Amino acid sequence: MKVRKRTLLAMAGVLAASTLLGGTAFADDKVVTVYTAHISAIVDKLIPMFEKETGLKAEVVKMGSGDVAKRAKAEAGKPAADVIWSISGSALTELADILEPYQPKDFDKINQKLIGSPAWTPYTGVVYVLAVNTSLLPLDQAPKSWAELADPKWQGKIASARADNSGSAMQQLQGVLTIFGDKGWDEYGKIAKNFVLTDSSGAVPRYVADGETPMGLTLEDNALQYVQGGSPMSIVHLTDGTIATPDGIALIKGGPNPEGGKKFIDWALSKSTQETLVKEIGRRSVRTDVSGPAGLPDLADLNVVQIKSLADLGGTDAILAKWRTATGQ
C-alpha cells in the first residue's frame, strides 16, 4: 500500500470573537463561529452568500470530519463554536450530548426519511461514487462494483481518504461492512490493499484528475466538479451498493452565539441555499421541493444501501482499530 501525504489546508478563520470589558467576555452577536468539513471551494462559495443575505459574519474553521468531532468534544462545557456544518449524520449522532436540538424554519420541507436524531438536521444528501480517469482507464474496463475493487490487479490504483480523518471514508467503510455482512472486514481488507491513502476526501478527485491514480472513492459532488471542469473523469455508481447518506448541521450546546447559530442553520436549509448547493455544487438537496443535480441518475434508479450505524458496527474506536489493521496504519 502506498501512502502519500499532502499538506493539510490551513484552517480558515478564528475561534469565537469576543470583547473583554470589565473582566467579562461578551460574544459579538454578529459573528457566528462554524466548524466544518466542507472543502474550501464550497466554503468560499457559500459563506459570502450567508454574510450578504443575513448581515452576520461567519468565522469558519475548516478541518477533517474526525477533527471537527474531536475538537467539539474537547471543548464541551466551554465551546468556542456555535455550529457544526457538514459532517456525517452518524458522527453527529455520536456527539448528541454536546448538541442542542433545534428545529429550523421550513422543517416540514425536509425529507423526514433522512432524519436520524433530534440533535441534528440533515443538510445535504451525500452520494459516494468511484471517480475514474478515462485517459488512464477506459470506462468499460473500470470496476463497476465494490467486489471488483478487491481484485489485486488494482493495487496502488485506488485513491481513498483516511477513515480516521475523513467522515466520507468512514461512511464508505460502513457501506462495505453493511453490503458484505459477515464477510465485511475480509472484503474491506482486500479493497484496502489497493488503496493510495489521502488526507481528505477532497484530495481524492484531484489525485484522479492529475493522473496520480486512475480511480478513487469520493463524494459524487466532488467528482462532478472535476467532470464539469473538463477533466477526463467519469462517475461510477457501484452496482452492488450505492452509499447515499445525509450529512448534517447542528447547533452546539452552550455556544457563544446561539441565536446566530440558529440563523446560520435556517439559512443553510433555506430553499435558495439548497438550490445553490444542487445547481452550482452538485450536492443533493434534503428538501422535498428541490430537485436533484442535472445529468446525474435519480437515486430511485440506483441500488442505494442504508448503511449500518457506527454503534451497530461496534462504535468508532473499535472500527478505527480494525481499519488501522486492515490498512497497515
Side-chain angles (χ1 to χ4, degrees):
M1 179 185 310
K2 300 177 184 177
V3 181
R4 298 177 186 170
K5 293 185 178 179
R6 289 176 180 265
T7 303
L8 289 173
L9 292 172
M11 291 192 303
V14 295
L15 298 180
S18 61
T19 302
L20 194 63
L21 181 63
T24 304
F26 293 91
D28 185 340
D29 62 6
K30 290 184 178 291
V31 176
V32 182
T33 304
V34 180
Y35 290 168
T36 188
H38 259 323
I39 61 174
S40 295
I42 297 178
V43 173
D44 293 345
K45 174 68 180 178
L46 294 181
I47 290 303
M49 290 174 50
F50 167 74
E51 294 181 338
K52 180 178 180 180
E53 293 172 17
T54 67
L56 300 175
K57 179 176 175 56
E59 298 290 358
V60 178
V61 180
K62 201 188 82 59
M63 300 172 276
S65 296
D67 288 333
V68 169
K70 290 174 186 175
R71 187 160 186 166
K73 285 193 289 187
E75 294 173 348
K78 193 176 180 181
D82 303 296
V83 174
I84 294 176
W85 179 34
S86 190
I87 71 171
S88 72
S90 56
L92 285 169
T93 296
E94 288 205 329
L95 296 175
D97 288 347
I98 66 168
L99 302 177
E100 185 70 41
Y102 172 64
Q103 194 169 104
K105 293 180 180 178
D106 290 348
F107 186 74
D108 61 324
K109 300 296 184 183
I110 304 298
N111 185 338
Q112 300 297 298
K113 293 180 181 179
L114 299 177
I115 297 172
S117 166
W120 56 275
T121 304
Y123 162 63
T124 60
V126 181
V127 179
Y128 299 94
V129 301
L130 181 70
V132 177
N133 184 318
T134 52
S135 292
L136 300 176
L137 180 64
L139 190 58
D140 60 357
Q141 298 177 26
K144 301 300 189 298
S145 68
W146 290 99
E148 291 178 49
L149 292 176
D151 193 318
K153 71 180 181 182
W154 303 124
Q155 186 173 6
K157 298 184 183 298
I158 306 170
S160 173
R162 300 176 58 95
D164 59 353
N165 191 53
S166 166
S168 65
M170 176 63 87
Q171 297 268 284
Q172 289 163 15
L173 169 54
Q174 290 171 250
V176 172
L177 298 180
T178 300
I179 291 165
F180 293 101
D182 293 341
K183 297 180 179 179
W185 278 110
D186 288 339
E187 290 301 312
Y188 184 82
K190 295 174 186 176
I191 297 170
K193 288 180 180 178
N194 298 330
F195 283 166
V196 174
L197 294 177
T198 72
D199 287 320
S200 69
S201 59
V204 171
R206 188 165 67 245
Y207 269 53
V208 177
D210 291 347
E212 295 191 55
T213 60
M215 53 188 158
L217 294 165
T218 189
L219 282 68
E220 183 183 61
D221 58 288
N222 285 357
L224 184 62
Q225 295 292 311
Y226 283 84
V227 172
Q228 293 175 338
S231 294
M233 188 184 293
S234 288
I235 295 172
V236 176
H237 296 84
L238 299 170
T239 57
D240 49 355
T242 292
I243 302 166
T245 63
D247 68 340
I249 189 167
L251 190 68
I252 298 175
K253 187 182 298 182
N257 186 1
E259 293 307 310
K262 292 175 183 178
K263 290 178 182 178
F264 186 92
I265 294 172
D266 288 343
W267 169 85
L269 293 168
S270 67
K271 187 174 183 180
S272 62
T273 301
Q274 292 280 306
E275 287 175 339
T276 297
L277 282 160
V278 171
K279 294 176 182 177
E280 299 189 30
I281 295 171
R283 281 286 177 99
R284 294 183 185 252
S285 176
V286 297
R287 291 181 62 111
T288 56
D289 57 353
V290 177
S291 58
L296 292 177
D298 192 291
L299 291 182
D301 296 328
L302 299 173
N303 181 20
V304 174
V305 174
Q306 183 69 37
I307 65 173
K308 292 182 179 179
S309 69
L310 292 170
D312 287 343
L313 293 169
T316 301
D317 291 343
I319 294 171
L320 287 177
K322 291 183 178 181
W323 174 83
R324 293 186 182 100
T325 299
T327 56
Q329 300 297 299

